[in-house]
């Protein structure tokens, strides 16, 4: 019961997330869970879908980490070029 309630809360929260990826994955899990309960999806099929989603989520996390690092590097490069090398030399 506790896990069921926690899963419900997780899905509610994920559906409201600003990330389209997170919202879509929450909708997928909800749909697959309903299909499993209705007998339209086997437990093995459910596990397969969820495992593939887990891999996608990990890849998305890596992509976001790389994007964040790239943004931070661009900011640092810009500060170096325009502020330190440019503006500070004028001061």
């Amino acid at each position: 019961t506790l896990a069921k309630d926690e899963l419900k809360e997780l899905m509610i929260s994920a559906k409201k997330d600003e990330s389209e990826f997170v919202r879509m994955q929450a909708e997928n899990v909800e749909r697959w869970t309903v299909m499993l309960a209705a007998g339209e999806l086997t437990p093995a099929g459910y596990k397969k879908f969820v495992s593939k989603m887990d891999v996608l989520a990990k890849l998305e996390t890596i992509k976001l980490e790389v994007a964040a690092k790239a943004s931070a590097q661009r900011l640092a490069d810009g500060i170096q070029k325009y502020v330190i090398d440019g503006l500070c030399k004028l001061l």
Side-chain angles (χ1 to χ4, degrees), residues 1 8 27 46 66-68 70 73-75 83-84 88 91:
T1 303
K8 282 182 182 180
E27 290 171 7
Y46 183 82
V66 169
Q73 187 62 51
R74 280 193 300 277
L75 176 61
V83 178
I84 297 170
C88 287
L91 298 176

Side-chain angles (χ1 to χ4, degrees), residues 12-63:
I12 290 168
S13 174
K15 286 183 187 179
K16 295 177 183 175
D17 197 276
E18 61 185 55
S19 166
E20 183 179 356
F21 177 82
V22 172
R23 289 190 312 268
M24 287 178 60
Q25 296 311 312
E27 290 171 7
N28 285 337
V29 170
E30 184 176 56
R31 184 175 64 251
W32 300 332
T33 304
V34 169
M35 290 172 68
L36 178 66
E40 298 170 5
L41 186 61
T42 66
Y46 183 82
K47 287 179 186 178
K48 190 174 185 177
F49 281 143
V50 172
S51 294
K52 287 182 179 185
M53 185 195 70
D54 183 48
V55 171
L56 287 174
K58 287 177 181 169
L59 290 173
E60 182 71 10
T61 300
I62 290 168
K63 183 176 98 178

